[in-house]
Coordinates of all heavy atoms in Angstrom, one line a residue:
M1057 N 12.6 -5.6 -20.6 CA 11.6 -5.5 -19.6 C 11.4 -6.9 -19.1 O 11.2 -7.9 -19.8 CB 10.3 -5.0 -20.2 CG 9.2 -5.0 -19.2 SD 7.6 -4.5 -19.8 CE 7.8 -2.8 -20.3
S1058 N 11.5 -7.1 -17.8 CA 11.3 -8.4 -17.2 C 9.8 -8.6 -16.9 O 9.0 -7.7 -16.9 CB 12.1 -8.6 -15.9 OG 11.5 -7.9 -14.8
A1059 N 9.4 -9.8 -16.6 CA 8.0 -10.2 -16.4 C 7.5 -9.4 -15.1 O 6.3 -9.1 -15.1 CB 7.8 -11.7 -16.2
I1060 N 8.3 -9.2 -14.2 CA 7.9 -8.5 -12.9 C 7.5 -7.0 -13.2 O 6.7 -6.5 -12.5 CB 8.9 -8.6 -11.8 CG1 8.2 -8.4 -10.5 CG2 10.1 -7.7 -12.0 CD1 9.0 -8.9 -9.3
D1061 N 8.0 -6.5 -14.3 CA 7.6 -5.1 -14.7 C 6.1 -5.0 -15.0 O 5.6 -3.9 -15.0 CB 8.5 -4.6 -15.8 CG 9.9 -4.4 -15.4 OD1 10.2 -4.1 -14.2 OD2 10.8 -4.5 -16.3
N1062 N 5.5 -6.1 -15.4 CA 4.1 -6.1 -15.7 C 3.2 -6.3 -14.5 O 2.0 -6.4 -14.7 CB 3.8 -7.3 -16.7 CG 4.5 -7.0 -18.1 OD1 4.8 -5.9 -18.4 ND2 4.7 -8.1 -18.8
I1063 N 3.7 -6.4 -13.3 CA 2.9 -6.5 -12.1 C 3.0 -5.2 -11.4 O 4.0 -4.6 -11.1 CB 3.5 -7.6 -11.2 CG1 3.4 -9.0 -11.9 CG2 2.7 -7.7 -9.9 CD1 4.1 -10.1 -11.2
K1064 N 1.8 -4.7 -11.1 CA 1.6 -3.3 -10.5 C 0.7 -3.4 -9.3 O -0.2 -4.3 -9.2 CB 1.0 -2.3 -11.4 CG 1.7 -2.3 -12.8 CD 2.9 -1.5 -12.8 CE 3.5 -1.4 -14.2 NZ 4.9 -1.2 -14.3
I1065 N 0.9 -2.5 -8.3 CA 0.0 -2.3 -7.2 C -1.0 -1.2 -7.6 O -0.5 -0.1 -8.1 CB 0.7 -1.9 -5.9 CG1 1.6 -3.0 -5.5 CG2 -0.3 -1.6 -4.8 CD1 2.5 -2.6 -4.3
R1066 N -2.3 -1.4 -7.6 CA -3.3 -0.5 -8.0 C -4.4 -0.4 -6.9 O -4.6 -1.3 -6.2 CB -3.9 -0.9 -9.3 CG -2.9 -0.8 -10.5 CD -2.6 0.6 -10.9 NE -1.8 0.7 -12.1 CZ -0.5 1.0 -12.1 NH1 0.1 1.2 -11.0 NH2 0.1 1.0 -13.2
F1067 N -5.2 0.7 -7.0 CA -6.4 0.8 -6.2 C -7.6 0.6 -7.1 O -7.6 1.2 -8.2 CB -6.4 2.2 -5.5 CG -7.8 2.4 -4.9 CD1 -8.1 1.8 -3.7 CD2 -8.7 3.3 -5.4 CE1 -9.3 2.0 -3.1 CE2 -9.9 3.5 -4.8 CZ -10.2 2.9 -3.6
S1068 N -8.5 -0.2 -6.6 CA -9.7 -0.5 -7.4 C -10.9 0.2 -6.8 O -11.4 -0.1 -5.7 CB -10.0 -2.0 -7.4 OG -11.3 -2.2 -8.0
P1069 N -11.3 1.3 -7.4 CA -12.5 2.0 -6.8 C -13.8 1.2 -6.9 O -14.6 1.4 -6.0 CB -12.6 3.3 -7.7 CG -11.7 3.1 -8.8 CD -10.8 1.9 -8.6
L1070 N -13.8 0.2 -7.8 CA -15.0 -0.6 -7.8 C -15.1 -1.5 -6.6 O -16.2 -1.6 -6.0 CB -14.9 -1.5 -9.1 CG -16.1 -2.4 -9.4 CD1 -17.3 -1.6 -9.6 CD2 -15.8 -3.3 -10.5
S1071 N -14.0 -2.1 -6.1 CA -14.1 -2.9 -4.9 C -13.6 -2.2 -3.6 O -13.7 -2.7 -2.5 CB -13.2 -4.2 -5.1 OG -11.9 -3.8 -5.3
N1072 N -13.0 -1.0 -3.8 CA -12.5 -0.2 -2.7 C -11.3 -1.0 -2.0 O -11.2 -1.0 -0.8 CB -13.5 0.2 -1.7 CG -13.1 1.3 -0.8 OD1 -12.3 2.2 -1.2 ND2 -13.5 1.3 0.5
R1073 N -10.5 -1.7 -2.8 CA -9.4 -2.5 -2.3 C -8.1 -2.2 -3.1 O -8.2 -1.7 -4.2 CB -9.7 -4.0 -2.5 CG -11.0 -4.5 -1.9 CD -11.2 -4.3 -0.5 NE -10.3 -5.3 0.2 CZ -10.1 -5.3 1.5 NH1 -10.7 -4.4 2.3 NH2 -9.4 -6.2 2.1
V1074 N -7.0 -2.5 -2.5 CA -5.7 -2.4 -3.1 C -5.5 -3.8 -3.8 O -5.7 -4.8 -3.2 CB -4.6 -2.1 -2.1 CG1 -3.2 -2.2 -2.8 CG2 -4.8 -0.8 -1.5
V1075 N -5.2 -3.8 -5.1 CA -5.0 -5.0 -5.8 C -3.6 -5.1 -6.4 O -3.0 -4.1 -6.7 CB -6.0 -5.2 -6.9 CG1 -7.4 -5.3 -6.3 CG2 -5.9 -4.1 -7.9
L1076 N -3.2 -6.4 -6.5 CA -1.9 -6.7 -7.2 C -2.4 -7.1 -8.6 O -3.3 -8.0 -8.7 CB -1.2 -7.8 -6.5 CG 0.2 -8.1 -6.9 CD1 1.1 -6.8 -6.7 CD2 0.8 -9.2 -6.1
A1077 N -1.9 -6.5 -9.6 CA -2.5 -6.7 -11.0 C -1.3 -7.1 -11.9 O -0.3 -6.5 -11.9 CB -3.2 -5.5 -11.5
R1078 N -1.6 -8.0 -12.8 CA -0.7 -8.4 -13.9 C -1.2 -7.9 -15.2 O -2.4 -8.1 -15.5 CB -0.4 -9.9 -13.9 CG 0.6 -10.3 -15.0 CD 0.9 -11.8 -14.9 NE -0.3 -12.6 -15.3 CZ -0.6 -12.9 -16.6 NH1 0.2 -12.5 -17.6 NH2 -1.6 -13.6 -16.8
F1079 N -0.4 -7.1 -15.9 CA -0.8 -6.5 -17.2 C -0.1 -7.2 -18.3 O 1.1 -7.7 -18.2 CB -0.5 -5.0 -17.2 CG -1.3 -4.2 -16.2 CD1 -0.9 -4.1 -14.9 CD2 -2.5 -3.7 -16.6 CE1 -1.6 -3.4 -14.0 CE2 -3.3 -3.0 -15.7 CZ -2.8 -2.8 -14.4
G1080 N -0.7 -7.1 -19.5 CA 0.0 -7.6 -20.7 C 0.4 -6.4 -21.5 O 1.1 -5.5 -21.0
K1081 N 0.0 -6.4 -22.8 CA 0.4 -5.3 -23.7 C -0.3 -4.0 -23.3 O 0.2 -2.9 -23.4 CB 0.1 -5.6 -25.1 CG 1.0 -6.7 -25.6 CD 0.6 -7.1 -27.1 CE 1.6 -8.2 -27.6 NZ 1.2 -8.6 -28.9
S1082 N -1.5 -4.1 -22.8 CA -2.3 -2.9 -22.4 C -1.9 -2.5 -21.0 O -1.8 -3.4 -20.1 CB -3.8 -3.2 -22.4 OG -4.5 -2.2 -21.8
E1083 N -1.7 -1.3 -20.8 CA -1.3 -0.8 -19.4 C -2.6 -0.4 -18.6 O -2.5 0.0 -17.5 CB -0.4 0.5 -19.5 CG 0.9 0.1 -20.1 CD 1.9 1.3 -20.1 OE1 1.6 2.3 -19.4 OE2 2.9 1.2 -20.8
T1084 N -3.7 -0.6 -19.2 CA -5.0 -0.2 -18.5 C -5.9 -1.4 -18.2 O -6.7 -1.4 -17.3 CB -5.8 0.8 -19.3 OG1 -6.1 0.3 -20.6 CG2 -5.0 2.1 -19.4
D1085 N -5.7 -2.5 -18.9 CA -6.5 -3.7 -18.8 C -5.7 -4.8 -18.1 O -4.8 -5.4 -18.8 CB -7.1 -4.2 -20.1 CG -8.0 -3.2 -20.7 OD1 -8.7 -2.5 -20.0 OD2 -8.0 -3.1 -22.0
A1086 N -6.0 -5.1 -16.9 CA -5.3 -6.2 -16.2 C -5.7 -7.6 -16.6 O -6.9 -7.8 -16.9 CB -5.5 -6.1 -14.7
L1087 N -4.7 -8.5 -16.8 CA -5.0 -9.8 -17.1 C -5.5 -10.6 -15.9 O -6.3 -11.5 -16.0 CB -3.8 -10.5 -17.7 CG -3.2 -9.8 -19.0 CD1 -1.9 -10.5 -19.4 CD2 -4.2 -9.9 -20.1
E1088 N -4.9 -10.3 -14.8 CA -5.2 -11.0 -13.5 C -5.1 -9.9 -12.4 O -4.3 -9.0 -12.4 CB -4.3 -12.1 -13.1 CG -4.2 -13.3 -14.1 CD -3.1 -14.2 -13.6 OE1 -3.5 -15.1 -12.8 OE2 -2.0 -14.1 -14.0
T1089 N -6.0 -10.1 -11.4 CA -5.8 -9.3 -10.2 C -6.1 -10.1 -8.9 O -6.8 -11.2 -9.0 CB -6.8 -8.1 -10.1 OG1 -8.2 -8.6 -10.1 CG2 -6.7 -7.2 -11.3
R1090 N -5.6 -9.7 -7.8 CA -6.0 -10.3 -6.5 C -5.9 -9.2 -5.5 O -5.1 -8.3 -5.5 CB -5.1 -11.5 -6.2 CG -3.7 -11.2 -5.7 CD -3.1 -12.5 -5.1 NE -1.8 -12.3 -4.7 CZ -1.4 -11.8 -3.5 NH1 -2.3 -11.3 -2.7 NH2 -0.2 -11.6 -3.1
D1091 N -6.7 -9.4 -4.5 CA -6.8 -8.4 -3.3 C -5.4 -8.5 -2.6 O -5.0 -9.6 -2.2 CB -7.9 -8.8 -2.4 CG -8.1 -7.8 -1.3 OD1 -7.3 -7.0 -1.1 OD2 -9.1 -8.0 -0.6
A1092 N -4.8 -7.4 -2.4 CA -3.5 -7.3 -1.7 C -3.6 -6.2 -0.6 O -2.6 -5.7 -0.2 CB -2.4 -7.0 -2.7
T1093 N -4.8 -5.8 -0.2 CA -5.0 -4.7 0.7 C -4.3 -5.0 2.0 O -3.5 -4.1 2.5 CB -6.5 -4.5 1.0 OG1 -7.2 -4.2 -0.2 CG2 -6.7 -3.3 1.9
N1094 N -4.5 -6.1 2.6 CA -3.9 -6.4 3.9 C -2.4 -6.5 3.8 O -1.6 -5.9 4.7 CB -4.4 -7.8 4.5 CG -4.1 -8.0 5.9 OD1 -4.3 -7.0 6.7 ND2 -3.6 -9.1 6.3
E1095 N -1.8 -7.1 2.8 CA -0.4 -7.2 2.6 C 0.2 -5.8 2.4 O 1.3 -5.4 2.9 CB 0.0 -8.1 1.4 CG -0.4 -9.5 1.6 CD -0.4 -10.3 0.3 OE1 -1.3 -10.0 -0.5 OE2 0.4 -11.2 0.1
F1096 N -0.5 -5.0 1.6 CA 0.0 -3.6 1.3 C 0.1 -2.8 2.6 O 1.0 -2.1 2.9 CB -0.9 -2.9 0.3 CG -0.7 -1.4 0.2 CD1 0.4 -1.0 -0.6 CD2 -1.5 -0.5 0.8 CE1 0.7 0.4 -0.7 CE2 -1.2 0.9 0.7 CZ -0.1 1.3 -0.1
L1097 N -1.0 -2.8 3.4 CA -1.0 -2.1 4.7 C 0.0 -2.6 5.7 O 0.6 -1.8 6.4 CB -2.4 -2.1 5.3 CG -3.5 -1.3 4.4 CD1 -4.9 -1.5 5.0 CD2 -3.2 0.1 4.3
Q1098 N 0.2 -3.9 5.8 CA 1.2 -4.4 6.6 C 2.6 -4.0 6.2 O 3.4 -3.6 7.0 CB 1.1 -6.0 6.7 CG 0.0 -6.5 7.5 CD -0.1 -8.0 7.4 OE1 0.6 -8.7 6.7 NE2 -1.1 -8.6 8.2
A1099 N 2.8 -4.0 4.9 CA 4.1 -3.5 4.4 C 4.3 -2.0 4.7 O 5.4 -1.6 5.0 CB 4.3 -3.8 2.9
F1100 N 3.3 -1.2 4.5 CA 3.3 0.2 4.8 C 3.7 0.5 6.3 O 4.5 1.3 6.6 CB 2.1 0.9 4.4 CG 2.1 2.4 4.5 CD1 3.0 3.1 3.6 CD2 1.4 3.1 5.4 CE1 3.1 4.5 3.7 CE2 1.5 4.5 5.5 CZ 2.3 5.2 4.6
V1101 N 3.0 -0.3 7.2 CA 3.3 -0.1 8.6 C 4.7 -0.5 8.9 O 5.4 0.2 9.6 CB 2.3 -0.9 9.5 CG1 2.7 -1.0 10.9 CG2 0.9 -0.3 9.4
A1102 N 5.2 -1.6 8.3 CA 6.6 -2.1 8.5 C 7.5 -1.0 8.0 O 8.6 -0.7 8.7 CB 6.8 -3.4 7.8
Y1103 N 7.2 -0.4 6.9 CA 8.1 0.7 6.3 C 8.1 1.9 7.3 O 9.1 2.5 7.6 CB 7.5 1.1 4.9 CG 8.1 2.3 4.4 CD1 9.4 2.3 3.8 CD2 7.4 3.5 4.5 CE1 9.9 3.5 3.3 CE2 8.0 4.7 3.9 CZ 9.2 4.7 3.3 OH 9.7 5.8 2.8
A1104 N 6.9 2.3 7.8 CA 6.8 3.4 8.6 C 7.5 3.3 9.9 O 8.1 4.2 10.4 CB 5.3 3.8 8.9
F1105 N 7.5 2.1 10.5 CA 8.2 1.8 11.8 C 9.5 1.1 11.6 O 10.0 0.5 12.5 CB 7.3 1.0 12.7 CG 6.1 1.8 13.2 CD1 4.8 1.7 12.7 CD2 6.3 2.7 14.3 CE1 3.8 2.5 13.2 CE2 5.2 3.4 14.8 CZ 4.0 3.3 14.3
D1106 N 10.1 1.2 10.4 CA 11.5 0.7 10.2 C 11.5 -0.8 10.5 O 12.5 -1.3 11.0 CB 12.6 1.4 10.9 CG 12.8 2.8 10.4 OD1 12.6 3.0 9.2 OD2 13.1 3.7 11.2
G1107 N 10.4 -1.5 10.2 CA 10.4 -3.0 10.4 C 10.3 -3.5 11.8 O 10.4 -4.6 12.1
K1108 N 10.1 -2.5 12.7 CA 10.0 -2.9 14.2 C 8.5 -2.8 14.6 O 7.8 -2.0 14.1 CB 10.8 -1.9 15.0 CG 12.3 -1.9 14.7 CD 13.0 -0.8 15.6 CE 14.4 -0.6 15.0 NZ 14.5 0.6 14.2
M1109 N 8.2 -3.7 15.5 CA 6.8 -3.7 16.0 C 6.8 -2.5 17.0 O 7.5 -2.5 18.0 CB 6.5 -5.0 16.7 CG 5.1 -5.0 17.4 SD 3.7 -4.7 16.2 CE 3.7 -6.3 15.3
P1110 N 5.9 -1.6 16.8 CA 5.8 -0.4 17.7 C 5.1 -0.8 19.0 O 4.3 -1.7 19.0 CB 5.0 0.6 16.9 CG 4.2 -0.2 16.0 CD 5.0 -1.4 15.6
E1111 N 5.4 0.0 20.0 CA 4.7 -0.2 21.3 C 3.3 0.4 21.1 O 3.0 1.2 20.3 CB 5.4 0.6 22.4 CG 6.8 0.2 22.7 CD 6.9 -1.2 23.4 OE1 6.0 -1.5 24.2 OE2 7.8 -1.9 23.0
K1112 N 2.4 -0.1 21.9 CA 1.0 0.4 21.9 C 1.0 1.9 22.1 O 1.7 2.4 23.1 CB 0.1 -0.3 22.9 CG -0.1 -1.8 22.5 CD -0.9 -2.5 23.5 CE -1.1 -3.9 23.1 NZ -1.8 -4.7 24.1
G1113 N 0.3 2.6 21.3 CA 0.3 4.1 21.4 C 1.4 4.8 20.7 O 1.3 6.0 20.5
A1114 N 2.4 4.1 20.2 CA 3.5 4.7 19.4 C 2.9 5.2 18.1 O 2.0 4.5 17.5 CB 4.6 3.8 19.2
A1115 N 3.4 6.3 17.6 CA 2.9 6.9 16.3 C 4.1 7.4 15.5 O 5.1 7.7 16.1 CB 1.9 8.0 16.6
V1116 N 3.8 7.5 14.2 CA 4.8 8.0 13.3 C 4.1 8.7 12.2 O 3.0 8.3 11.8 CB 5.8 6.9 12.8 CG1 5.1 5.9 11.9 CG2 7.0 7.4 12.1
E1117 N 4.8 9.7 11.6 CA 4.2 10.3 10.4 C 5.1 10.0 9.2 O 6.3 10.0 9.3 CB 4.2 11.8 10.5 CG 3.1 12.3 11.5 CD 2.9 13.8 11.5 OE1 3.8 14.5 10.9 OE2 2.0 14.2 12.2
V1118 N 4.5 9.6 8.1 CA 5.2 9.3 6.8 C 4.8 10.4 5.8 O 3.6 10.6 5.6 CB 4.8 7.9 6.3 CG1 5.5 7.7 5.0 CG2 5.1 6.9 7.3
K1119 N 5.8 11.1 5.3 CA 5.6 12.1 4.3 C 6.1 11.6 2.9 O 7.1 11.0 2.8 CB 6.4 13.4 4.7 CG 6.0 14.0 6.0 CD 6.8 15.1 6.4 CE 6.4 15.6 7.8 NZ 7.1 16.8 8.2
F1120 N 5.3 11.9 1.9 CA 5.6 11.5 0.6 C 4.9 12.4 -0.4 O 4.0 13.1 -0.1 CB 5.3 10.0 0.3 CG 3.8 9.7 0.5 CD1 3.0 9.6 -0.6 CD2 3.3 9.4 1.7 CE1 1.6 9.3 -0.5 CE2 1.9 9.1 1.9 CZ 1.1 9.1 0.8
G1121 N 5.3 12.2 -1.7 CA 4.7 13.0 -2.8 C 5.8 13.8 -3.5 O 7.0 13.7 -3.2
G1122 N 5.3 14.6 -4.4 CA 6.2 15.4 -5.2 C 5.5 16.6 -5.7 O 4.3 16.6 -5.9
G1123 N 6.2 17.7 -5.9 CA 5.7 18.9 -6.4 C 4.6 19.5 -5.5 O 4.8 19.6 -4.3
D1124 N 3.4 19.8 -6.0 CA 2.3 20.3 -5.2 C 1.4 19.2 -4.7 O 0.4 19.5 -4.1 CB 1.5 21.3 -6.0 CG 0.8 20.7 -7.2 OD1 1.1 19.6 -7.6 OD2 -0.1 21.4 -7.8
Q1125 N 1.8 18.0 -4.8 CA 1.1 16.8 -4.3 C 1.8 16.2 -3.1 O 2.5 15.2 -3.3 CB 0.7 15.8 -5.3 CG -0.2 16.4 -6.4 CD -0.6 15.3 -7.4 OE1 -0.2 14.2 -7.4 NE2 -1.4 15.7 -8.3
Q1126 N 1.8 16.9 -2.0 CA 2.5 16.4 -0.8 C 1.5 15.8 0.2 O 0.4 16.3 0.3 CB 3.2 17.5 -0.1 CG 4.3 18.2 -0.9 CD 5.5 17.3 -1.1 OE1 6.0 16.6 -0.2 NE2 6.1 17.3 -2.3
F1127 N 1.9 14.7 0.8 CA 1.0 14.0 1.7 C 1.7 13.6 3.0 O 2.9 13.4 3.0 CB 0.4 12.7 1.1 CG -0.3 12.9 -0.2 CD1 0.4 12.8 -1.4 CD2 -1.6 13.2 -0.2 CE1 -0.3 13.0 -2.6 CE2 -2.3 13.4 -1.4 CZ -1.6 13.3 -2.6
V1128 N 0.9 13.6 4.1 CA 1.4 13.1 5.4 C 0.4 12.1 5.9 O -0.8 12.4 6.0 CB 1.5 14.3 6.4 CG1 2.0 13.8 7.8 CG2 2.5 15.3 5.9
V1129 N 0.9 10.9 6.3 CA 0.0 9.9 6.8 C 0.5 9.6 8.2 O 1.7 9.4 8.5 CB 0.2 8.6 6.0 CG1 -0.6 7.4 6.7 CG2 -0.3 8.8 4.6
R1130 N -0.4 9.7 9.2 CA 0.0 9.4 10.6 C -0.6 8.0 10.9 O -1.7 7.7 10.7 CB -0.7 10.4 11.5 CG -0.4 10.3 13.0 CD -1.0 11.4 13.8 NE -1.0 11.5 15.2 CZ -0.4 10.7 16.1 NH1 0.3 9.7 15.7 NH2 -0.4 11.0 17.4
I1131 N 0.3 7.2 11.4 CA 0.0 5.8 11.8 C 0.3 5.6 13.3 O 1.3 6.0 13.8 CB 0.8 4.8 11.0 CG1 0.6 5.0 9.5 CG2 0.4 3.4 11.4 CD1 1.6 4.1 8.7
E1132 N -0.7 5.2 14.0 CA -0.6 4.9 15.4 C -1.0 3.5 15.8 O -2.1 3.1 15.3 CB -1.5 5.9 16.2 CG -1.4 5.8 17.7 CD -2.2 6.8 18.5 OE1 -2.7 7.7 17.8 OE2 -2.3 6.6 19.7
R1133 N -0.2 2.8 16.5 CA -0.6 1.5 17.0 C -1.7 1.6 18.0 O -1.5 2.3 19.0 CB 0.6 0.7 17.5 CG 0.1 -0.7 17.9 CD 1.2 -1.6 18.3 NE 0.7 -2.9 18.8 CZ 1.4 -3.8 19.4 NH1 2.7 -3.6 19.5 NH2 0.8 -4.9 19.8
A1134 N -2.8 0.9 17.8 CA -3.9 1.0 18.7 C -3.6 0.3 20.1 O -2.8 -0.6 20.1 CB -5.1 0.3 18.1
G1135 N -4.2 0.8 21.1 CA -4.0 0.2 22.4 C -5.0 -0.9 22.6 O -5.5 -1.5 21.6
D1136 N -5.2 -1.4 23.8 CA -6.1 -2.5 24.1 C -7.5 -2.1 23.7 O -7.9 -1.0 24.0 CB -6.0 -2.9 25.5 CG -4.6 -3.5 25.9 OD1 -4.1 -4.1 25.0 OD2 -4.2 -3.2 27.0
P1137 N -8.3 -3.0 23.1 CA -9.7 -2.7 22.8 C -10.5 -2.5 24.1 O -10.2 -3.1 25.1 CB -10.2 -3.9 22.1 CG -9.1 -5.0 22.1 CD -7.9 -4.3 22.7
A1138 N -11.4 -1.6 24.0 CA -12.2 -1.3 25.2 C -13.3 -2.3 25.5 O -13.7 -3.0 24.7 CB -12.9 0.1 25.0

């Protein structure tokens, strides 16, 4: 197991944020965490749009999951603010 295997992306219900966490021997108690919400969402948008900047109003659906836990996320690039 390499050191990077101890780093996980998790959701913190306490802060309502996505965090990057480093774990030791315990898989439930993080040794360190940091907010990674913005980086996670930017990476998800890049994944959804194949790394291309979408035009304003462009949308895509991302499907994921397994078994009876299937999900669809629709991402649309916002237009100009009103």
